[in-house]
Amino acid sequence: MVVSLSVLDLAHIAEGRTAADSFAASVALAQAAEESGYRRVWYAEHHNMPSIASSATSVVIAHVAAHTSTIRLGAGGVMLPNHSPLTIAEQFGTLETLHPGRIDLGLGRAPGSDQNTMRALRRDPSSADTFPQDVIELQAYLAGTSRVPGVAAVPGAGTNVPLYILGSSLFGAQLAAHLGLPYANASHFAPDSLGEAVSVYRETFRPSASLAEPYVIAGVNAVVSESAARAHELREQGLRRRVVQMVGRGQTFTPEEVDLIMDSPAGRQIQGMTKFTAVGTPAEASSYITQFADRYGVDEVIVASGIDDTEERLASYRLLAQEHLHAAVA
């Protein structure tokens, strides 16, 4: 069987562009994904990052949902310790009420920010410790069986927005298995835990009212072009930009300085974060994704792209879908 494909939209703000440009690009990407047969598009909560526009995740989802018709949209994910479960139940209950049958809610426990930003969010450093209990409380609000006497999510109660547990370590896999929820591994930027995490999840999964059998989503980066040479060029450009953003933190460097940074221990470590990358022609990228899914026992691959140019990013997603989703079943 052909493994399903979805989109992880990083809502990237390109150099010299604005957040408004990013949102327009996100709408265009979701529309292209809908036309191309992708299953869903997810957006991640990040804060205080000049290059990412998806901090208000539910608002972005609402905007994109209003400009699409059928594709599922969701959070990949909401960092639940930054919020009360009731607030998230109300937000995503509202989204599900407005766009029934199209909303997902992926949940993570990472801060999505640095220490100073955590303080600005009024987040208690220990709030991640109650993540499992908060997930259960949130699930109850959405089911209409609130665990807090006299408190209901309005809207939200009875919408049963599907929950997904996100993770880049064994903790998320164990929690998803214990609660009988789907598991999404952040292997597009944290590749080292994938094999063990999926094994633990599948071996310890407990069926629930939400899910009868384990379901695994894993992230892969993809850079696809008609020309393999162009795909590798785009891949290199994206890597250099990523390393400079993470190491330089707003500084500018000459090409020669970037070369040195790329070859430094920090540069090599950042490049290693994108170990799982499908790069090349559509056939090469599709083959990579198929082998990746088979090797790690993945039911669905969610694809991230580091291509800066909007048109080339859209073309990359379209080419991959044409080869993987359409040519493979023709």
Side-chain angles (χ1 to χ4, degrees):
M1 293 182 64
V2 177
V3 65
S4 298
L5 293 183
S6 293
V7 173
L8 178 62
D9 183 356
L10 301 176
H12 176 62
I13 304 174
E15 186 175 351
R17 300 296 182 91
T18 66
D21 297 325
S22 173
F23 297 142
S26 289
V27 169
L29 176 54
Q31 291 171 339
E34 186 172 79
E35 294 166 2
S36 299
Y38 287 89
R39 176 168 289 186
R40 68 187 94 238
V41 183
W42 279 0
Y43 308 89
E45 177 186 347
H46 294 282
H47 298 281
N48 194 33
M49 292 189 177
S51 62
I52 297 179
S54 54
S55 55
T57 312
S58 60
V59 181
V60 176
I61 294 169
H63 176 67
V64 176
H67 290 82
T68 52
S69 301
T70 58
I71 195 165
R72 297 192 68 87
L73 301 166
V78 161
M79 299 300 107
L80 190 54
N82 291 344
H83 315 273
S84 74
L86 176 61
T87 296
I88 298 305
E90 291 169 341
Q91 289 179 5
F92 280 79
T94 299
L95 288 169
E96 175 65 21
T97 302
L98 292 170
H99 307 282
R102 296 182 57 202
I103 303 302
D104 299 329
L105 177 49
L107 301 168
R109 64 170 183 152
S113 59
D114 56 30
Q115 294 294 321
N116 286 337
T117 308
M118 283 178 61
R119 286 192 288 271
L121 287 167
R122 303 297 190 268
R123 171 173 169 164
D124 188 317
S126 66
S127 55
D129 296 342
T130 61
F131 179 65
Q133 292 79 12
D134 290 344
V135 172
I136 293 170
E137 182 180 335
L138 170 58
Q139 188 176 38
Y141 284 131
L142 293 170
T145 56
S146 174
R147 300 170 68 89
V148 181
V151 177
V154 183
T159 57
N160 291 299
V161 176
L163 302 184
Y164 298 76
I165 300 298
L166 278 57
S168 57
S169 67
L170 297 184
F171 178 87
Q174 292 167 334
L175 179 62
H178 178 75
L179 297 178
L181 293 174
Y183 172 61
N185 187 277
S187 45
H188 62 291
F189 75 87
D192 295 341
S193 73
L194 178 62
E196 187 177 4
V198 172
S199 294
V200 166
Y201 171 69
R202 290 194 177 280
E203 290 167 4
T204 61
F205 179 83
R206 304 195 311 188
S208 69
S210 302
L211 191 65
E213 297 179 348
Y215 192 84
V216 175
I217 302 174
V220 166
N221 303 283
V223 183
V224 186
S225 176
E226 294 281 13
S227 160
R230 179 56 178 164
H232 284 277
E233 182 181 356
L234 290 168
R235 158 77 165 155
E236 179 66 17
Q237 290 174 1
L239 277 176
R240 291 171 72 87
R241 183 172 59 254
R242 181 188 182 97
V243 170
V244 167
Q245 287 174 346
M246 295 184 71
V247 173
R249 298 192 178 277
Q251 300 179 62
T252 56
F253 302 97
T254 67
E256 294 75 20
E257 289 172 331
V258 175
D259 289 339
L260 293 173
I261 295 171
M262 294 289 286
D263 198 40
S264 69
R268 289 194 297 272
Q269 179 187 17
I270 294 167
Q271 293 175 71
M273 293 167 65
T274 60
K275 170 184 174 181
F276 295 127
T277 298
V279 56
T281 64
E284 290 170 336
S286 175
S287 176
Y288 179 95
I289 285 173
T290 298
Q291 293 176 35
F292 169 85
D294 289 346
R295 177 178 178 183
Y296 291 101
V298 172
D299 300 294
E300 179 179 336
V301 171
I302 190 162
V303 179
S305 173
I307 300 175
D308 200 33
D309 180 79
T310 299
E311 291 306 316
E312 288 194 288
R313 183 165 65 252
L314 293 177
S316 177
Y317 277 109
R318 287 192 179 106
L319 288 168
L320 177 59
Q322 287 168 9
E323 178 67 30
H324 188 82
L325 299 175
H326 303 304
V329 298

